[in-house]
Amino acid sequence: MWKGIIREYPDFFKFSNDNNVVTILEGNTPLIPAPRLAEKINPQISIFLKYEGLNPTGSFKDRGMTMAVSRAIEAGSKAIICASTGNTSASAAAYAARAGIRAFVVIPEGKIALGKLAQAMIHGAKVIKVLGNFDDALKVVKQISEEYPITLVNSLNPHRIEGQKSGAFEICDALGEPPEYHSLPVGNAGNITAYWAGYKAYLDSGKIKNLPKMIGFQAEGASPIVQGRVFEKPETIATAIRIGNPASWKKAEQARDESKGLIDAVSDDEILKAYKMVSCLEGVFCEPASAASIAGVIKKSAQGFFNGGERVVCTLTGHGLKDPDNAIKISSEPVTCEPEMRKVLNVLGF
Ligand SMILES: *Cc1c(COP(=O)(O)O)cnc(C)c1O
């Protein structure tokens, strides 16, 4: 039976007292081959989807949260706090519930996907909406955690990035080696930082012999790393990457440069097109932000970036069910019809 990332990778995640480990058996997500998507985008490459939507709270945030909350318990903490565009709060709320401690989550007003808000609420977190954006929310929780005995579990908490390395371990375990390219959406830039650190840790331990190139994608309206400037008012439909001043900005640039990869931007239209494509061609439902990884591969492929023969892993960071509003908005409406065979057949075009 899968034991969660901390107990599955004890060489990398060390706990002197196993009782402090807080897990909901996160990780072990499938690496799904996507041949129909590759056929459409570029038949010369192989695409794999690391479907992080299948973590306990439906996003990769659980990999970091099991570490952050376990370390908080180890240190005797009784409460955690985070700012969040949604998934961090959902995960923090669930792991705090599991640990029997309190969770406070501060979210930007308005732009939070419905499913994520529901998760934070049902797990019993105290949810506070601030009249500002994510960056404003982060500033407040940082201050609070510095002055009160409440553990910050945003990705500034180094244990988050530690735990998120496990995604890279699993990909190498599944493929037997790293892919040539690893594509990710970039928001606060913790995940691209963590994957790169994970691949390097696996190389150092002799488990793999080479490293992938990291390719990250921001939304055009929230592309501070691409443009080299803070975005005061980041805007994108992909709320999970609607971030104007990423916490791991420098480390993401390091990951890009050391791996000889790139960080580029994709438009909301490109994101939505990729979001629809992966749902319709592969039966895999992710949230809009996740689809930036695929939109980026589409964009780069059209520019002749790939030579052919490469394996490209796209991390699909969160589950599509978290954001039903966007899915409904871009899909065709159900047709209303009398419950009679002839009428239904008419609608079907027979
Ligand atoms: C948090 C999140 C991101 C962004 O990850 P960073 O580590 O902040 O770059 C992307 N997609 C989803 C679904 C997320 O929850």
Side-chain angles (χ1 to χ4, degrees), residues 59-61 87 164 185-191 240-241 287 289-290 317-318:
S59 87
F60 76 84
K61 299 297 198 296
N87 282 331
Q164 286 173 209
V186 175
N188 245 324
N191 213 22
I241 53 172
E287 57 177 287
S290 309
T317 45

Side-chain angles (χ1 to χ4, degrees), residues 7 10 19 44 67 101 121 128 138 174 249 276 300 341:
R7 293 184 178 128
N19 290 330
Q44 310 302 323
M67 276 296 286
I101 61 174
M121 291 166 69
I128 303 136
L138 185 60
W249 188 324
K276 187 106 204 228
K300 288 289 137 197
M341 181 166 120

Side-chain angles (χ1 to χ4, degrees), residues 160-236:
R160 285 273 312 280
I161 305 246
E162 275 304 299
Q164 286 173 209
K165 288 178 181 173
S166 59
F169 303 163
E170 289 178 18
I171 289 168
C172 296
D173 292 349
L175 292 176
E177 55 187 340
E180 280 70 38
Y181 288 95
H182 190 137
S183 180
L184 288 153
V186 175
N188 245 324
N191 213 22
I192 192 167
T193 300
Y195 266 104
W196 180 239
Y199 284 120
K200 287 199 297 184
Y202 241 35
L203 184 78
D204 287 345
S205 72
K207 294 202 185 276
I208 54 173
K209 297 196 168 47
N210 47 315
L211 293 165
K213 293 189 168 69
M214 305 301 294
I215 54 178
F217 297 94
Q218 300 192 299
E220 269 176 11
S223 51
I225 298 176
V226 179
Q227 302 229 349
R229 65 177 173 91
V230 170
F231 277 53
E232 294 296 341
K233 292 200 162 46
E235 275 308 334
T236 168

